[in-house]
Amino acid sequence: MAAPEDSLYLGFDFSTQQLKVMAIDGTLTVVHQSNVQFDSELPEFKTQGGVHIHADRLTVTSPVLMWIQALDLLLDKMKKAGFDFSLVKALSGSGQQHGSVYWSTGANHTLKHLDPEKSLGQLMQESFAVADSPVWMDSSTSPQCQYLESTLGGATTLADITGSRAYERFTGSQIAKIQQTRPDQYQNTERISLVSSFAASLFLGAYAAIDYSDGSGMNLLDIKTRCWSEVCLEATGPGLGKLLGAPQPSTTVLGCVSPHFVARHGFSEDCRVVAFTGDNPASFAGMGLREGDVALSLGTSDTVFSWIRDPRPALEGHVFCNPVDWQSYMALLCFKNGSLTRERVRNECAEGSWEVFSTALRDTPIGNHGNIGFYFDVVEITPSAVGVHRFDRHDNRVSGFSAQVEVRALLEGQFLSKRLHAERLGYRIIPGSRVLATGGASSNKDILQVLSDVFDAPVYTKDVANSACLGSAYRALHGLESVESGVPFSDVVKNAMEPKLAVTPNPRAKEVYNQTLKRYAELEDRILQET
Ligand SMILES: O=C(CO)[C@@H](O)[C@H](O)CF
């Protein structure tokens, strides 16, 4: 039996700007990392931030052959660094969500007969009916979104089935646009993959299934039956079910790595390929979330992941099948007004100093004397609103707060919004619930104290750089072990770097914020009606 440190597990992340890889051993220790930056290392594709923004400023694509050549480059880099591929027992990965790849007729045969004497870039030049894959930054498919929602009977019906209302970046509308505007290329397509299942297909040497979790980001999968929704397929394009193949659980071991990788790079022929998934589901796995947990990534925009068992899809946010527990779900909410808004208020109300900002939080009471603020410097995603709106304890609009009250109103408002919208999607604070905070603001304990008080839960911090890669490597290990023993993911990662307890909620906070949350929801509705 190989010692744990002699067995390696790989996690790849085909993200927007780069291709990354992380290797862990059987003790979950990271033993190797590498990456390929698309713009600088594959300049012949002339991308900016890994994409091409077209003249209409709405269409955004990435060259699929760039992703393929990046994989050739990355594996060569690893070999030059002395990485021993023969120790890899399983690999998995992730891809930017919603992007789509259109394999041309005959590509499956090419995948099954990859000459190890040649690179993937040389072998797959003619394998794609669409050279420029639409990616998640595209917003050119509003007509297709409107058609899909109206065909389904409205946004709410579509959200109830697929976990989200129609979004321009979601794959269903992107496929519909290709079919309508490039019928010859659609006709020459024998398979459609997501970026995640496209990457898995390269390693597998055959078309890989779309997994339930990343498939939830297409407006095509019924997230309760985990099958394609026939009505959504019919509203999108002819013969689409056959082109997509059947979706599979995210824990599926798809098979062994293609002979191309054995002969060309020295992989073991027994190395298993575990289904790839979306970057956010992979990050969810990398953070080691468990039922009742909610994770906040506090960055330029703030992202909220929560583990939910009973989903309540809404017109905001997204419910995806859970990548590590096929009977559960994960919710994803995006908030555009994040750190830039926090920095603006720090500059205007705290002399540009985080220390003065923290003092303001320590010197103002829980509940902020009933003052509530909404700070949408740019058009917010959740909810769709804009502008700064302030209310006093009697729900009267006011034009301003004192500097210290403004600082607390900003943070209470941002965290009340996150709790309100997460609960609307089905998140529930249960005994043992944890808030996991990552990103820049998670280093400020006074900010975390407000977060802990609003959620009435302890806040932990965890350095989750490259969480999508790490989550993919964990999933590779779990996929292999679950075949042999059915062990749950949480058992496989239980020795992973435990998050660090940062703060616990003030006992008085629960009563205050349960009341404030109701007022916040009513005032948000008022803003939405007025604007
Ligand atoms: O569109 C998104 C999620 O819905 C983005 O987070 C992409 O997954 C980034 F690749």
Side-chain angles (χ1 to χ4, degrees), residues 172-253:
S173 292
Q174 294 292 338
I175 294 169
K177 177 187 168 190
I178 296 279
Q179 193 269 328
Q180 292 156 13
T181 60
R182 302 153 83 168
D184 294 348
Q185 294 172 38
Y186 189 82
Q187 190 60 37
N188 181 36
T189 298
E190 78 174 5
R191 181 80 175 209
I192 299 174
S193 296
L194 292 175
V195 176
S196 56
S197 55
F198 146 79
S201 304
L202 299 176
F203 285 104
L204 194 62
Y207 291 142
I210 290 172
D211 79 297
Y212 292 159
S213 196
D214 206 15
S216 308
M218 301 172 76
N219 279 147
L220 295 175
L221 187 78
D222 181 323
I223 60 170
K224 294 183 184 63
T225 65
R226 299 170 181 86
C227 301
W228 300 123
S229 158
E230 285 304 328
V231 65
C232 290
L233 294 181
E234 282 155 28
T236 301
L240 188 48
K242 186 172 180 303
L243 290 175
L244 295 171
Q248 295 286 336
S250 308
T251 53
T252 302
V253 177

Side-chain angles (χ1 to χ4, degrees), residues 367-488:
N368 211 13
H369 301 302
N371 294 301
I372 290 179
F374 299 75
Y375 298 84
F376 306 138
D377 290 3
V378 295
V379 177
E380 183 51 73
I381 294 172
T382 312
S384 180
V386 68
V388 176
H389 309 269
R390 300 179 184 87
F391 300 88
D392 66 14
R393 60 189 309 155
H394 305 299
D395 291 352
N396 299 316
R397 272 185 180 277
V398 292
S399 58
F401 292 139
S402 72
Q404 289 203 329
V405 168
E406 179 91 330
V407 166
R408 176 168 281 274
L410 165 71
L411 284 186
E412 288 190 348
Q414 288 188 331
F415 295 148
L416 284 164
S417 179
K418 290 170 176 64
R419 178 177 163 187
L420 172 67
H421 291 283
E423 290 183 349
R424 280 187 181 160
L425 283 178
Y427 172 67
R428 289 293 174 269
I429 298 171
I430 58 175
S433 278
R434 303 177 305 174
V435 178
L436 220 60
T438 69
S442 66
S443 60
N444 183 319
K445 278 209 169 181
D446 298 291
I447 290 178
L448 297 185
Q449 187 62 60
V450 178
L451 173 59
S452 181
D453 291 344
V454 168
F455 274 80
D456 188 34
V459 173
Y460 292 75
T461 55
K462 183 171 184 177
D463 172 18
V464 284
N466 294 326
S467 56
C469 273
L470 191 59
S472 297
Y474 289 163
R475 291 178 57 254
L477 171 56
H478 174 239
L480 196 58
E481 296 206 351
S482 65
V483 164
E484 289 155 11
S485 64
V487 63

Side-chain angles (χ1 to χ4, degrees), residues 23 35 84 109 201 216 304 347 373 387:
N35 67 62
D84 183 353
H109 181 269
S201 304
S216 308
V304 176
N347 294 339

Side-chain angles (χ1 to χ4, degrees), residues 14-16 95-98 136-137 169-170 214 278-281 303 318 320 332 334:
F14 286 70
S15 67
T16 311
Q96 51 178 295
Q97 286 192 266
H98 318 306
W136 68 279
M137 292 167 65
R169 67 186 191 276
F170 276 41
D214 206 15
D279 59 340
N280 290 298
T303 305
H318 315 287
F320 302 137
L332 173 69
C334 302

Side-chain angles (χ1 to χ4, degrees), residues 52-124:
H52 292 130
I53 299 178
H54 295 219
D56 66 4
R57 312 304 299 168
L58 296 174
T59 304
V60 183
T61 61
S62 289
V64 59
L65 288 175
M66 176 182 76
W67 293 331
I68 286 194
Q69 290 187 32
L71 181 55
D72 287 327
L73 263 181
L74 183 64
L75 294 173
D76 289 346
K77 270 190 182 181
M78 295 174 77
K79 190 186 286 186
K80 288 192 181 87
F83 186 82
D84 183 353
F85 289 100
S86 70
L87 297 177
V88 177
K89 297 292 180 282
L91 65 90
S92 188
S94 60
Q96 51 178 295
Q97 286 192 266
H98 318 306
S100 45
V101 174
Y102 302 78
W103 302 85
S104 57
T105 304
N108 201 23
H109 181 269
T110 304
L111 271 174
K112 291 178 187 295
H113 302 90
L114 293 169
D115 176 356
E117 295 304 313
K118 294 181 179 174
S119 69
L120 293 172
Q122 290 168 314
L123 292 163
M124 310 201 78

Side-chain angles (χ1 to χ4, degrees), residues 6-29:
D6 292 341
S7 301
L8 300 180
Y9 304 86
L10 287 180
F12 294 86
D13 181 29
F14 286 70
S15 67
T16 311
Q17 302 184 39
Q18 57 181 326
L19 169 56
K20 294 176 276 188
V21 67
M22 193 174 265
I24 62 172
D25 66 17
T27 66
L28 308 183
T29 306

